[in-house]
């Protein structure tokens, strides 16, 4: 049966009555007075710009911390203090592993930080979690900059990673939840560009006479900007609704859209968020006329087992997409270059100084290429950029492997150029994508734990790649590129068949897309590419989600068979 036929058979509703039920909640004098008491001084573009600046500071810090170690591995003073990082097969058989370990152990700290967000993220809220992460990073940076032996450096990098793991699993969600659908892609991709900006700064800073202590200590400055700036920003409206603070949420939405709280678009956004929260809290619920809970005061705590549920919410599928997306970013092989750029250029015959200069130039080009994605992400969409990046990265790795088997100066020059080319493909297709897509694809109730797990996936595979790269080049040399070429080729069909498009959709619209796909028994990918999906918060979307005024039913579990759009509503009437 066609979608249009199905929709025509749905129970009739009265949109004016539907809106009136909502307005009874938000237009009450007490509620309006409470909203007015939470009015923000920053509004509209100024608020959006401030959010982008603070989130950008967090990701510049992330990028800087990633790049600084790559630039320091060949620095003379650094090697004197930490001789374990000097790789010379004729004297130190295990130093390739020790070098990889001090680089990769940072990812273990990041993993622990990301997983801790499973418990602290929703409890503390987005802003306080970011402040906590920043403070931990400052402590770790101080310990790194004052290290005098290998063991202290390892511990310090774990602590720094702990703070970064908290930040990278929180900042994208916070920024996505505070961004309009039309601009969300470009705003989050800007964060990805700032990762490369941080990497670029770290490469150039590490070429200074200060060598290694000052470049590491510069992280503190970036962390302070993030911590100080977050104090001027509001909490996420989604988190506020989820934690029974609707008036504050309404005030934040009003400020973000720079419209009065009575504006229909502000009202629709607010009700879409409330309905998403209530639907996930109670199954299919009446969030518009619940007399027993008019203010939404009932418990909104979630458990980790909800990550494994199906039904209309498709939580397991959506959480898995975020986890796989983050994994894919790492198995492309990007950190082969980010962490080992100077060593790779040295293997191509460049001197220590020249290899660090070329690595810095590589980081600069990496940053400039990432700006392309900002312009394309909302026009082209997420899926096409991911596919473009994976195909380009695969072909580049194949060429690097072929040239690696040819030992002459011409092949080395072309190989150096291809390292720049690989960064360009990655910057456009995958750099910011994995911080955007997981935050978009999951529902509000599981967003914090799902993003914690997806970020943990990033750090697990990051650790794996960084840890094996040194020994891999020592043992199979250019064969390492063949491995990553195969992994990039594997990414292409998975993205094409399983990753829905999120461009132009609000975060709540994705709930509608997955519910409609479940009701119709079709792939969410196909539904996401359709143009006839009703907006979240509309009567049509409520029917797809199974919401009916005055009636509360239980959401179907994943063991039930898919049925057409109106089935859940009709069942409740019988």
């Amino acid at each position: 049966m066609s979608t249009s036929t199905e929709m025509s058979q749905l129970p009739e509703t009265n949109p004016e009555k539907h809106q009136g039920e909502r307005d009874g909640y938000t237009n009450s004098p007490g509620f309006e007075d409470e909203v007015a008491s939470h009015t923000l001084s920053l509004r509209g573009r100024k608020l959006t710009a401030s959010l982008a600046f603070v989130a950008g500071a967090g990701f510049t810090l992330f990028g800087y911390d990633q790049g600084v170690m790559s630039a320091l591995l060949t620095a003379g003073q650094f090697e004197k203090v930490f001789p374990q990082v000097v790789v010379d097969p004729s004297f130190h058989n295990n130093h390739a592993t020790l070098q990889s370990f001090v680089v990769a152990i940072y990812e273990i700290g990041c993993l622990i930080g990301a997983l801790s967000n499973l418990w602290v993220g929703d409890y503390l809220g987005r802003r306080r979690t970011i402040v906590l992460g920043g403070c931990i990073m400052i402590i770790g940076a101080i310990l790194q900059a004052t290290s005098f032996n290998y063991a202290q450096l390892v511990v310090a990098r774990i602590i720094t990673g702990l703070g970064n793991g908290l930040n990278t699993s929180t900042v994208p969600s916070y920024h996505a939840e505070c961004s309009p659908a039309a601009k969300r892609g470009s705003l989050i991709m800007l964060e990805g560009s700032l990762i490369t900006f941080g990497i670029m700064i770290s490469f150039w800073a590490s070429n200074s006479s200060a060598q290694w202590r000052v470049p590491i200590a510069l992280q503190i400055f970036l962390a302070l900007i993030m911590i100080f700036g977050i104090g001027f920003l509001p909490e996420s409206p989604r988190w506020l609704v989820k934690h029974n603070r609707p008036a504050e949420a309404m005030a934040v939405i009003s400020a973000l859209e720079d419209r009065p709280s009575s504006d229909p678009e502000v009202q629709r956004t607010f009700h879409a968020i409330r309905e998403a929260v209530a639907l996930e809290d109670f199954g299919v619920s009446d969030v518009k006329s619940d007399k027993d809970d008019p203010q939404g005061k009932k418990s909104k705590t979630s458990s980790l087992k909800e990550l494994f549920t199906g039904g209309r919410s498709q939580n397991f599928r959506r959480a898995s997409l975020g986890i796989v997306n983050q994994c894919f970013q790492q198995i492309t092989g990007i950190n082969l270059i980010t962490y080992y750029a100077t060593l790779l250029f040295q293997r191509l015959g460049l001197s220590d100084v020249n290899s660090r200069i070329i690595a810095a130039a590589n980081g600069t080009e990496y940053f400039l290429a990432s700006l392309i994605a900002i312009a394309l992400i909302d026009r082209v969409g997420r899926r096409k950029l991911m596919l473009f990046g994976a195909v380009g990265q695969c072909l580049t790795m194949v060429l690097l492997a072929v040239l690696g088997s040819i030992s002459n100066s011409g092949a080395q020059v072309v190989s150096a150029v291809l390292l720049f080319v690989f960064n360009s493909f990655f910057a456009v297709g995958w750099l910011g994508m994995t911080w955007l897509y997981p935050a978009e694809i999951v529902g509000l109730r599981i967003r914090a734990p799902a993003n914690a797990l997806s970020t943990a996936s990033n750090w697990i595979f990051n650790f794996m790649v960084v840890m094996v790269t040194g020994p891999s080049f020592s043992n199979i040399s250019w064969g390492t590129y063949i491995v990553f070429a195969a992994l990039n080729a594997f990414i292409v069909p998975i993205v094409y068949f399983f990753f829905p498009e999120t461009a132009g959709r609000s975060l709540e619209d994705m709930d509608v897309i997955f519910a409609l796909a479940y009701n119709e028994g079709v792939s969410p990918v196909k539904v996401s590419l359709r143009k006839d999906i009703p907006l979240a918060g509309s009567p049509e979307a409520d029917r797809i989600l199974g919401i009916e005024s005055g009636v509360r039913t239980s959401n179907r579990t994943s063991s039930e068979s898919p049925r057409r759009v109106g089935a859940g509503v009709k069942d409740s009437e019988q």
Side-chain angles (χ1 to χ4, degrees), residues 168-425:
T168 54
S169 58
T170 305
V171 172
S173 294
Y174 174 62
H175 201 185
E177 290 178 347
C178 294
S179 301
K183 298 180 180 178
R184 186 176 63 243
S186 57
L187 289 172
I188 306 301
M189 293 301 276
L190 176 62
E191 292 179 8
S193 293
L194 290 172
I195 295 175
T196 62
F197 180 68
I199 292 172
M200 178 186 73
I201 293 174
S202 71
F203 281 142
W204 289 113
S206 299
N207 279 319
S208 70
S209 58
Q211 280 287 335
W212 71 274
R213 294 193 190 276
V214 172
I216 287 179
L218 282 176
Q219 298 172 68
I220 299 171
F221 175 70
L222 294 170
L224 288 173
I225 292 176
M226 180 181 67
I227 293 170
F228 181 75
I230 202 75
F232 294 93
L233 300 179
E235 184 54 86
S236 158
R238 271 84 176 177
W239 186 87
L240 290 170
V241 170
K242 187 176 180 181
H243 288 264
N244 308 319
R245 293 157 68 176
E248 291 178 61
M250 178 68 89
V252 174
I253 295 169
S254 174
L256 287 168
E257 300 194 14
D258 200 15
R259 299 177 181 183
S261 59
S262 59
D263 183 88
E265 187 61 26
V266 173
Q267 295 274 328
R268 189 193 67 78
T269 301
F270 174 74
H271 285 297
I273 296 171
R274 279 195 71 227
E275 289 170 4
V277 171
L279 182 65
E280 291 171 340
D281 283 335
F282 306 116
V284 178
S285 60
D286 172 27
V287 299
K288 299 172 286 296
S289 58
D290 187 351
K291 296 179 181 179
D292 297 328
D293 188 30
Q295 300 268 339
K297 297 292 184 183
K298 292 190 177 181
S299 172
K300 290 177 170 55
T301 57
S302 59
S303 61
L304 296 183
K305 67 181 181 181
E306 293 179 45
L307 290 166
F308 302 97
T309 58
R312 285 189 179 92
S313 65
Q314 294 288 286
N315 284 342
F316 179 72
R317 180 178 190 137
R318 296 164 76 177
S320 297
L321 285 169
I323 291 169
V324 172
N325 185 260
Q326 288 275 22
C327 162
F328 281 175
Q329 186 197 56
Q330 293 307 311
I331 65 174
T332 60
I334 183 59
N335 282 324
L336 172 77
I337 300 172
T338 301
Y339 284 110
Y340 296 104
T342 53
L343 293 174
L344 289 175
F345 287 118
Q346 277 190 348
R347 286 192 177 100
L348 295 176
L350 296 173
S351 67
D352 171 41
V353 174
N354 287 338
S355 66
R356 284 192 281 131
I357 292 174
I358 298 299
N362 180 266
T364 303
E365 187 274 339
Y366 190 16
F367 167 64
L368 294 174
S370 70
L371 300 177
I372 299 172
I374 298 174
L376 294 179
I377 186 65
D378 287 316
R379 293 181 176 88
V380 176
R382 284 54 161 164
R383 283 165 47 85
K384 290 180 181 178
L385 287 187
M386 284 189 278
L387 292 169
F388 169 78
V391 171
Q393 290 155 194
C394 175
L395 295 175
T396 306
M397 284 292 183
V398 169
L399 292 174
L400 282 168
V402 171
L403 292 169
S405 64
I406 303 171
S407 182
N408 60 55
S409 59
Q412 291 175 340
V413 171
V414 177
S415 294
V417 172
L418 285 174
L419 292 176
F420 283 74
V421 172
F422 181 89
N423 274 0
S424 299
F425 279 117

Side-chain angles (χ1 to χ4, degrees), residues 454-475:
S454 66
T455 308
S457 168
N458 181 289
W459 296 118
I460 289 171
F461 285 94
N462 194 329
F463 174 80
M464 180 194 74
V465 170
V466 175
M467 191 67 207
V468 304
T469 295
S472 178
F473 270 107
S474 295
N475 288 280

